[in-house]
Structures are given as C-alpha cells and as structure tokens.
Amino acid sequence: MKDRAASLPRPDPLREASPQLPYLGFKLALDPANLTRAHHHFKVVTAMSPLQYQKQIRLHEARTLMLSRGMDAASAGHEVGYDSPSQFSREYRRLFGAPPVQDAQRLRTQPDLAMGA
C-alpha cells in the first residue's frame, strides 16, 4: 500500500509563511544532525537567515509581478505567499524603502532604476 504522506503535494518552501528547516534539509538531502551546521553555513554565505532570505526572494518576486504583469500589491503579495496585505506592505517598505504601489509607480516611470534595484 502506498504511503499517503508520500502522495500529498509538498509545500513550496518559498511560499510558506515560515520555511521548515527539516523540509529544506530533506530537499537538500542533508542529514538532520547537520541542519544546525547547514543553517550556520547558510548565514555565513548569504549574511542572512533562511527566513530572511526567503522573505527577500518573495518580496522581489512580488515586485516583479507588479511590474511585469501589472498586478496590484495585495494580489502580488498573496501570489508570493502573504496572507496579510498589511504585513506584505510593511515588509516590502522595509526592504525597498517605499510602499509597494509607490515603488512600482516610480519604477514604471524610471525603468533604469528597476535594473539596479
């Protein structure tokens, strides 16, 4: 009999609110005993925790969706895994220095900024 857990769809760790280190370790074929060491090495290489890294990826992806597909901020935030538009907006502003709508408008009028951002 096939294991039911094996047939369930695996969550996308980039879209989860909080990436689960054991799942990421499994995807990277790491021995569970080495997860703490892997976390440390991740921070050394990226200068951020896996959660911080995941947030940056999600926020950059949302920014791309707003610019390339014309998505509104709430839809882009939801698409990349944020359940709360206000949380998305707060984190977006913290990373990019402006609220999502204002940042997207600025980048649309000055596309050369998007390349360096």
Side-chain angles (χ1 to χ4, degrees), residues 63 67 92 102-111 113-114 117:
R63 189 185 216 190
L67 293 173
Y92 189 100
Q102 185 180 9
D103 183 56
Q105 287 172 344
R106 179 179 61 93
L107 292 173
R108 283 187 192 106
T109 60
Q110 300 172 343
L113 292 177

Side-chain angles (χ1 to χ4, degrees), residues 37-84:
R37 201 166 82 193
H39 186 273
H40 171 74
H41 288 297
F42 189 93
K43 285 185 83 169
V44 167
V45 170
T46 65
M48 60 186 86
S49 72
L51 182 59
Q52 292 167 325
Y53 186 78
Q54 178 215 32
K55 279 183 185 181
Q56 278 202 14
I57 289 173
R58 291 165 69 194
L59 292 168
H60 278 279
E61 184 178 347
R63 189 185 216 190
T64 299
L65 291 171
M66 289 187 298
L67 293 173
S68 66
R69 295 189 191 167
M71 277 189 174
D72 63 89
S75 297
H78 182 74
E79 179 71 21
V80 299
Y82 282 88
D83 291 328
S84 166

